[in-house]
Amino acid sequence: MKILNYKQSPHFQQRLTQRQIDPFLVSMCLIKGDMKTMARNKVEYVLHKERIMQAIEQGYLLARDCLGLTSLTVVTRQNILITAFAKFGDTGINC
């Protein structure tokens, strides 16, 4: 399975399932997230709460699917999705 023509590593698929991250959020992170180049050809994309709130207001996401979410981070290498993790907190998204 691919997300925006990125291949998914087995580790990435496992993390998506374990952390219950919606693939649409991953796509949104890759498109709208802040990009940061890291060592060894890795790129980190971070989608902050403000962008997620905009998507909820525009009807792309439901707030209940993102409760407590403060940011989403996706790490890629070339065209392979390596890992994804979400940060949750009291200041995250509320209904």
Side-chain angles (χ1 to χ4, degrees):
M1 187 172 134
K2 291 186 176 185
I3 296 176
L4 295 178
N5 288 330
Y6 283 86
K7 296 176 187 173
Q8 296 181 26
S9 69
H11 175 79
F12 179 82
Q13 292 174 346
Q14 181 184 22
R15 292 296 178 243
L16 224 60
T17 304
Q18 282 178 344
R19 297 172 178 158
Q20 299 177 350
I21 299 171
D22 185 354
F24 180 78
L25 269 177
V26 174
S27 299
M28 201 168 101
C29 185
L30 293 169
I31 294 170
K32 298 273 188 178
D34 298 332
M35 186 174 69
K36 177 182 168 188
T37 305
M38 301 167 57
R40 291 187 261 162
N41 296 329
K42 290 183 184 175
V43 179
E44 180 180 272
Y45 296 89
V46 180
L47 187 65
H48 296 285
K49 177 182 165 183
E50 295 77 24
R51 295 275 185 161
I52 298 168
M53 287 297 295
Q54 286 176 351
I56 291 170
E57 290 169 0
Q58 294 171 358
Y60 293 110
L61 293 170
L62 296 175
R64 69 171 184 231
D65 296 335
C66 305
L67 286 179
L69 187 63
T70 57
S71 70
L72 174 69
T73 303
V74 176
V75 179
T76 66
R77 179 182 290 142
Q78 295 168 348
N79 68 334
I80 301 172
L81 297 167
I82 304 293
T83 193
F85 55 92
K87 293 181 185 174
F88 294 91
D90 295 337
T91 60
I93 296 170
N94 299 318
C95 284

